């Protein structure tokens, strides 16, 4: 069990550029979650997948954001036309199957995005 | 809607003293409650979770939390603080998606 991994760990980009982050969940975990954490705040839920199906999207996820999990394994989060307000830590988590009441969400180290 | 409020963005305690981090929740349904810890440059780690089995929940590293429905609270405690406990602590509520509080940074004074 190697844990949840995220790539890259850090990304610096210029405003208006597109960026893509990758998350590899723990093997055999069916659920995958994306959160965003800004400085001095707790993580905020963005979206989650059950296998390849995206089950819920937060209103925080504007149309510039898109997440995929095409084969039910790794997931990507793309931000188009980045803005300075997108600067944050993007966290990925995975859990085995059911809701958090019974399954623990394991978090990755995050990808820190800085938009200049 | 569910939410949590953490009282105090920074808490300082002396090494060996009691740690008390406060959290109040709001939920229209029986809540599932969590405490997570975040060490510098590391991911979030689950300390403990409440899922209605028992009101006193024991977690890792000597931490525990007590669910009090009448007070809508889920405070985190540890009898004796260690220097290694210095970190950011998040109270959270939810099921499929987790709603986090703003966090409390715990400082341990030598």
């Amino acid at each position: 069990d190697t844990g949840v991994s995220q790539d890259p760990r850090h990304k610096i980009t210029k405003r208006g550029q597109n960026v893509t982050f990758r998350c590899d969940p723990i093997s055999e975990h069916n659920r995958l979650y994306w959160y965003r954490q800004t400085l001095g705040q707790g993580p905020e839920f963005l979206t989650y997948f059950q296998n390849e199906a995206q089950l819920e999207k937060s209103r925080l996820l504007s149309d510039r954001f898109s997440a995929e999990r095409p084969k039910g394994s790794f997931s990507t989060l793309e931000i188009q036309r980045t803005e300075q307000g997108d600067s944050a830590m993007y966290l990925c988590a995975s859990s085995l199957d059911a809701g958090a009441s019974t399954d623990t969400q394991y978090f990755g180290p995050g990808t820190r995005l800085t938009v200049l | 809607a569910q939410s949590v409020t953490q009282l105090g963005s920074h808490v300082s305690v002396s090494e060996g003293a009691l740690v008390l981090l406060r959290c109040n929740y709001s939920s229209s349904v029986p809540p599932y409650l969590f405490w997570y810890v975040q060490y510098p440059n590391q991911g979030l780690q689950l300390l403990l979770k409440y899922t209605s089995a028992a009101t006193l929940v024991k977690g890792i590293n000597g931490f525990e939390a007590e669910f009090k429905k009448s007070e809508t609270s889920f405070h985190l405690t540890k009898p004796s603080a260690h220097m290694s406990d210095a970190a950011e602590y998040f109270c959270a509520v939810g099921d499929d998606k987790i709603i986090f509080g703003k966090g409390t940074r715990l400082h341990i004074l030598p």
Side-chain angles (χ1 to χ4, degrees):
Chain A
D1 181 354
T2 57
V4 178
S5 61
Q6 294 187 243
D7 183 69
R9 294 291 305 275
H10 303 271
K11 179 70 177 179
I12 300 174
T13 190
K14 294 182 179 179
R15 187 177 48 156
Q17 297 295 304
N18 299 342
V19 294
T20 300
F21 310 139
R22 176 180 171 125
C23 171
D24 286 89
I26 294 172
S27 178
E28 299 183 352
H29 275 195
N30 295 320
R31 290 207 170 187
L32 187 148
Y33 305 79
W34 285 101
Y35 293 84
R36 181 176 69 184
Q37 186 177 16
T38 53
L39 205 60
Q41 301 294 319
E44 298 170 294
F45 169 81
L46 293 179
T47 187
Y48 85 97
F49 294 83
Q50 172 82 26
N51 298 312
E52 64 274 10
Q54 189 172 15
L55 296 187
E56 187 173 346
K57 292 171 60 174
S58 163
R59 281 172 288 182
L60 293 173
L61 219 62
S62 75
D63 57 4
R64 297 185 297 106
F65 289 72
S66 63
E68 294 183 342
R69 195 183 183 198
K71 297 182 179 179
S73 56
F74 72 91
S75 175
T76 58
L77 178 67
E78 181 183 15
I79 309 175
Q80 296 182 327
R81 305 181 303 281
T82 53
E83 302 173 355
Q84 288 184 327
D86 297 331
S87 295
M89 178 76 85
Y90 289 84
L91 299 169
C92 177
S94 71
S95 68
L96 188 59
D97 194 6
S101 58
T102 52
D103 279 326
T104 297
Q105 290 188 25
Y106 294 89
F107 283 80
T111 294
R112 182 170 296 283
L113 172 67
T114 302
V115 182
L116 302 176
Chain B
Q2 295 181 312
S3 65
V4 291
T5 302
Q6 292 184 242
L7 304 177
S9 58
H10 291 265
V11 170
S12 295
V13 301
S14 298
E15 190 174 19
L18 171 72
V19 175
L20 172 60
L21 303 183
R22 300 176 186 273
C23 173
N24 288 92
Y25 70 90
S26 173
S27 178
S28 57
V29 297
Y32 300 119
L33 293 161
F34 311 85
W35 276 98
Y36 279 84
V37 61
Q38 188 172 37
Y39 297 101
N41 299 317
Q42 294 188 29
L44 287 160
Q45 181 180 7
L46 180 68
L47 276 178
L48 50 81
K49 65 179 178 182
Y50 166 76
T51 58
S52 77
T55 57
L56 184 62
V57 184
K58 294 187 182 298
I60 62 172
N61 301 338
F63 285 93
E64 63 181 34
E66 186 172 8
F67 173 74
K68 292 187 176 181
K69 184 177 179 180
S70 61
E71 299 177 7
T72 61
S73 69
F74 191 57
H75 302 331
L76 181 72
T77 60
K78 182 174 181 178
S80 177
H82 296 163
M83 296 299 292
S84 60
D85 294 328
E88 184 114 29
Y89 292 79
F90 294 94
C91 180
V93 64
D95 191 357
D96 293 323
K97 66 180 182 184
I98 298 177
I99 310 299
F100 288 85
K102 293 187 176 183
T104 297
R105 184 164 296 278
L106 177 64
H107 305 270
I108 309 298
L109 306 174

